[in-house]
Amino acid sequence: MQKLTDKEIRQALLVHLGRRAKPPRATLEEVHVCNGNAIADVVAVYKTMHCYEIKGETDSINRIVRQSQYYDQAFPLITLVTTVNHLKRAEVIVPKHWGIMLANSTRNNSVTFKHVRGVTRNPSYLPEIALLSLWRSELIKFPNFSSPLLEKMNRQRIAELIASSVPTSAINEIVGQALTARSSKNSTLDNPSPCIQYERRLLASESLKG
């Protein structure tokens, strides 16, 4: 059996999240955080954002040590999605508030998920860092926030000002909405996403079993 890759896990995870009883409002891929120091594999947008970092069988699990410092600043909730060969190491190095999901490949080439450790609220989350996931043009248009000084400020300063003036819960929700709106503008119906293609294959496989 071939090794389970990051790409295969990601496609299956997007489908898995969409099939939940309470699916996210949107699922985003490769979200840049902390001024590009890290790129989140998948972000599920609810009222708050939930980051999913994926490590396939051939990936280096030890990279989590460096990446976690950036994800912890940018997201209220974080879950590692990995494979059984990384599990023991992951349970040692992954921050305690992170969730852990185990991805397994089945004989019909689909991917199943098992929750190994539940996610809890991230104590290191910084709203001003989360705001830096947005472009300056998006920050200037931040809902229910205005200041005549914004046009003269750089992106970092605008984020700091919003973070000091707007409730964290509102920041969580609005950042997710802004990233979703940006993603929607970039998507096209003529080119199905990998997760849609994966779901079609999965449905075809299930119909054969039925």
Side-chain angles (χ1 to χ4, degrees), residues 33-34 43 47-51 68-78 97-98 120-134 142 159 162-163 166-176 179:
V33 296
C34 297
V43 176
K47 266 205 163 184
T48 188
M49 293 187 295
H50 190 151
C51 167
S68 64
Q69 63 181 306
Y70 298 116
Y71 297 140
D72 273 354
Q73 294 179 61
F75 298 106
L77 299 170
I78 308 119
H97 53 273
W98 282 37
T120 58
R121 188 68 58 170
N122 169 20
S124 303
Y125 173 70
L126 298 173
E128 60 269 30
I129 299 300
L131 285 162
L132 290 176
S133 300
L134 303 185
F142 203 84
I162 294 173
V166 178
T168 298
S169 58
I171 290 173
N172 291 343
E173 186 168 4
I174 293 169
V175 169
L179 291 174

Side-chain angles (χ1 to χ4, degrees), residues 90-137:
E91 290 177 320
V92 173
I93 65 173
V94 168
K96 297 299 182 185
H97 53 273
W98 282 37
I100 298 178
M101 289 173 63
L102 192 63
N104 289 292
S105 181
T106 67
R107 290 183 178 179
N108 64 352
N109 294 322
S110 61
V111 180
T112 61
F113 297 98
K114 176 183 177 182
H115 286 270
V116 175
R117 189 169 84 191
V119 63
T120 58
R121 188 68 58 170
N122 169 20
S124 303
Y125 173 70
L126 298 173
E128 60 269 30
I129 299 300
L131 285 162
L132 290 176
S133 300
L134 303 185
W135 297 330
R136 186 177 182 278
S137 59

Side-chain angles (χ1 to χ4, degrees), residues 136 139-140 145-153 158 161:
R136 186 177 182 278
L139 289 172
I140 289 175
F145 180 83
S146 62
S147 170
L149 303 175
L150 292 185
E151 289 294 341
K152 298 180 180 179
M153 292 182 182
I158 296 172
L161 188 59

